[in-house]
């Protein structure tokens, strides 16, 4: 297995990531993906329109909102 050095990571990182604050990852948590189950669900038209307007993967965003609710 090839190990990547910190210098190589810094050299190849996208420019947007070069100036992130030192504490950027302090609140981060590892999230292990879970298996999805296809279901049929009825939602109000305006709710669907809201999420679809934000672009592709709107169903994933709906799932994220529901997950946040469950975790609270």
């Amino acid at each position: 297995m090839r190990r990547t050095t910190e210098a190589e990571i810094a050299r190849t990182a996208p420019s947007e990531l070069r100036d992130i604050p030192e504490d950027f990852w302090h609140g981060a948590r590892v999230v292990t993906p879970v298996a999805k189950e296809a279901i049929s669900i009825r939602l109000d038209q305006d709710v669907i329109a809201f999420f679809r307007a934000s672009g592709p993967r709107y169903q994933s965003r709906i799932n994220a909102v529901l997950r946040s609710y469950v975790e609270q």
Side-chain angles (χ1 to χ4, degrees), residues 2-37:
R2 180 180 174 282
R3 297 200 59 129
T4 305
T5 65
E6 290 295 323
E8 187 176 3
I9 292 170
R11 182 180 55 77
T12 59
S15 59
E16 313 76 63
L17 298 180
R18 292 198 176 116
D19 296 322
I20 61 173
E22 190 67 34
D23 64 345
F24 181 80
W25 296 105
H26 286 182
R29 61 186 173 95
V30 176
V31 178
T32 305
V34 294
K36 305 284 192 221
E37 180 179 346

Side-chain angles (χ1 to χ4, degrees), residues 29 32 43 52 68-69:
R29 61 186 173 95
T32 305
L43 301 173
R52 279 186 177 156
S68 176
Y69 180 84

